[in-house]
Amino acid sequence: MIRFSTAGESHGEALIALVSGVPAGVPIDLERVNRELWRRQQGYGRGGRMKIETDKAHILSGVRHGKTIGSPIAIEMINRDWKNWEEKLPVEPGNAALHQSVASPRPGHADLPGALKYNFQDARYVLERASARESTSRVAAGAIAKEMLRALGIEIASHVVRVGRVELERNASWYEIAALGAKEEVAMGCVDAATEERMKEEVEEAARTGDTVNGVFEVVVHGLPAGVGTFANWDERLDAHLAFAVMSIQAVKAVEIGHGVVAASSFGSAVHDAIYYSEDVEKKPTRFERHQNNAGGIEGGISNGEDVVVRGYLKPISTLRKPLESVRFDTREKTSASYERSDICVVPAAGVIGEAMVALTIAAQVQAKFGGDSLLELKRNFEGYLEQIRRF
Ligand code: EPS
């Protein structure tokens, strides 16, 4: 069973990812893992912290001579900013005068519910873990899952389909979306240059007015065969697993599979993807095909062989340079919400985090269906199943 967990705080010494259940023998390319971490740091509208950090994966266990060995994989990412916080946030009691408290909770952030829940008169301890800095660990773990899926020919990529009021108004092909991942400069992560310019203007407007803006990212899984997930039990449906995983990303407030939102206001005849049988006897992995993919590659909680498409809808970042009203924790007086350095827009980065969460979900589902303690065994099972589908 593939599982993962993370630890670490935004201004602590390091972030940690722990992944277990990956079969032995999966090649791990450290450069590709670090490239994912780099991608998460990119995008027009990122804040000052990204100038401080250069996130790098330090693999502590589970990988030897470039391959997984079946034992848990522990990865550490050092926070360079720690040197500025060592005295403000020490592990030991330290000097209280150096403590940098967050006195008035930010609407939209975890500050107030977190303080109430954990009985803190200061939101500092809440934001340290609630911060999206934690997503660094998810991307490191997701990069390991991507390596396993890549060995089976399953790939994952993302792009940005909305920033504020600006929407991508055409379909994007898998090849266009996958090509974005190889770019050396990332602005908005949109496949269409003219739309990307308009997205940047949205970010510029938010920057000018002390505001924030976000939007929608889309993650696409390419090469997943039909048959992963099932309708047999509510908690085994692939779409439910993906929704949980993507909803857990910081700032995500809604998740969509395929064109689920538009489908809710359409007639069935306009929504469902008609089934055809290809003339091409060599067509892989099956001759059954669709000419559109409104279902987002999932029917009845099972992958249907088309690309799996998941969208994450992000609320705007809740740390505003022009803050909203709030209340002081100590005096209960009306005040402005705390402001700390923050991002203005994070949609492209959230897409990379989305890829990681989707990769971990798909890898876990694939491992659950096909099994195997080594990549050799997993591949044999996987290829045997592909042959079964081909012959259907
Ligand atoms: C982030 C690091 C954080 C924030 C951001 C995401 O660093 P810092 O708090 O030192 O500026 O930039 O977190 C938030 C937006 C948030 O609300 O907590 C990162 O690495 O992605």
Side-chain angles (χ1 to χ4, degrees):
M1 193 164 90
I2 293 183
R3 286 176 293 183
F4 89 101
S5 57
T6 72
E9 285 122 31
S10 185
H11 305 105
E13 196 168 349
L15 298 160
I16 300 287
L18 184 65
V19 192
S20 60
V22 177
V26 174
I28 302 292
D29 181 333
L30 195 53
E31 256 179 53
R32 260 201 305 266
V33 175
N34 284 327
R35 165 100 190 156
E36 294 298 293
L37 293 173
W38 175 84
R39 289 179 62 225
R40 195 203 69 91
Q41 292 198 268
Q42 304 309 302
Y44 199 68
R46 297 309 304 272
R49 181 72 184 272
M50 291 306 104
K51 295 190 181 75
I52 300 173
E53 305 295 344
T54 309
D55 295 331
K56 291 262 183 268
H58 178 202
I59 299 184
L60 302 170
S61 68
V63 181
R64 299 293 157 194
H65 301 132
K67 287 183 179 173
T68 56
I69 56 170
S71 60
I73 301 164
I75 312 172
E76 177 192 56
M77 276 75 49
I78 297 293
N79 275 328
R80 283 194 177 176
D81 209 14
W82 166 242
K83 65 176 188 306
N84 305 316
W85 288 83
E86 240 173 297
E87 294 194 316
K88 294 182 210 159
L89 266 175
V91 172
E92 295 189 320
N95 179 356
L98 298 174
H99 184 111
Q100 201 167 319
S101 68
V102 175
S104 46
R106 291 160 294 174
H109 213 284
D111 296 350
L112 180 59
L116 290 168
K117 176 178 170 69
Y118 292 102
N119 192 32
F120 297 142
Q121 296 292 324
D122 171 359
R124 163 63 56 203
Y125 305 117
V126 175
L127 76 88
E128 282 298 325
R129 180 64 182 162
S131 166
R133 180 103 194 104
E134 183 266 350
S135 61
T136 308
S137 303
R138 301 193 195 204
V139 170
I144 302 293
K146 275 189 167 185
E147 293 288 274
M148 181 192 121
L149 294 172
R150 162 189 281 269
L152 301 174
I154 302 166
E155 290 176 90
I156 297 177
S158 71
H159 66 133
V160 170
V161 296
R162 175 182 283 279
V163 172
R165 296 157 296 187
V166 180
E167 187 182 15
L168 174 68
E169 277 162 7
R170 67 171 177 83
N171 286 330
S173 73
W174 159 253
Y175 299 98
E176 275 181 302
I177 300 165
L180 286 174
K183 278 176 93 168
E184 285 314 315
E185 265 179 51
V186 181
M188 294 315 309
C190 180
V191 295
D192 186 81
T195 310
E196 179 154 276
E197 281 309 307
R198 289 173 47 232
M199 288 174 169
K200 280 170 76 175
E201 285 165 19
E202 255 340 57
V203 178
E204 278 156 18
E205 184 177 328
R208 256 196 321 274
T209 56
D211 218 322
T212 56
V213 67
N214 262 335
V216 182
F217 63 82
E218 182 175 90
V219 178
V220 181
V221 184
H222 188 69
L224 185 71
V228 176
T230 175
F231 48 78
N233 287 298
W234 69 269
D235 56 354
E236 291 179 273
R237 299 179 80 105
L238 180 60
D239 38 9
H241 281 266
L242 289 169
F244 187 2
V246 173
M247 188 62 110
S248 78
I249 297 170
Q250 296 85 349
V252 167
K253 290 299 255 185
V255 181
E256 180 181 19
I257 307 283
H259 289 290
V261 172
V262 174
S265 55
S266 310
F267 288 107
S269 56
V271 169
H272 299 298
D273 310 320
I275 300 169
Y276 302 93
Y277 196 65
S278 171
E279 299 291 317
D280 181 1
V281 289
E282 296 295 320
K283 195 172 173 292
K284 288 176 184 162
T286 166
R287 289 171 68 185
F288 288 95
E289 62 176 23
R290 316 295 174 101
H291 297 165
Q292 60 180 37
N293 185 21
N294 289 340
I298 302 176
E299 290 168 309
I302 311 178
S303 63
N304 66 6
E306 299 299 308
D307 285 354
V308 171
V309 183
V310 192
R311 287 182 170 195
Y313 288 65
L314 299 161
K315 68 180 176 188
I317 298 286
S318 41
T319 309
L320 304 182
R321 195 156 44 77
K322 197 177 67 190
L324 293 171
E325 285 180 21
S326 184
V327 175
R328 283 192 65 90
F329 279 118
D330 49 2
T331 62
R332 312 293 154 116
E333 281 163 359
K334 183 173 154 176
T335 185
S336 296
S338 296
Y339 175 73
E340 281 205 13
R341 162 188 75 196
S342 185
D343 304 300
I344 295 165
C345 177
V346 295
V347 197
V352 178
I353 304 159
E355 289 176 41
M357 291 307 293
V358 168
L360 286 155
T361 306
I362 299 286
Q365 293 282 319
V366 162
Q367 180 67 353
K369 175 164 170 57
F370 301 104
D373 295 306
S374 66
L375 180 62
L376 182 79
E377 190 182 359
L378 170 63
K379 261 183 144 169
R380 191 166 59 228
N381 297 343
F382 184 73
E383 279 159 14
Y385 175 78
L386 288 187
E387 187 56 29
Q388 176 193 318
I389 294 230
R390 208 170 293 142
R391 287 162 184 266
F392 175 91

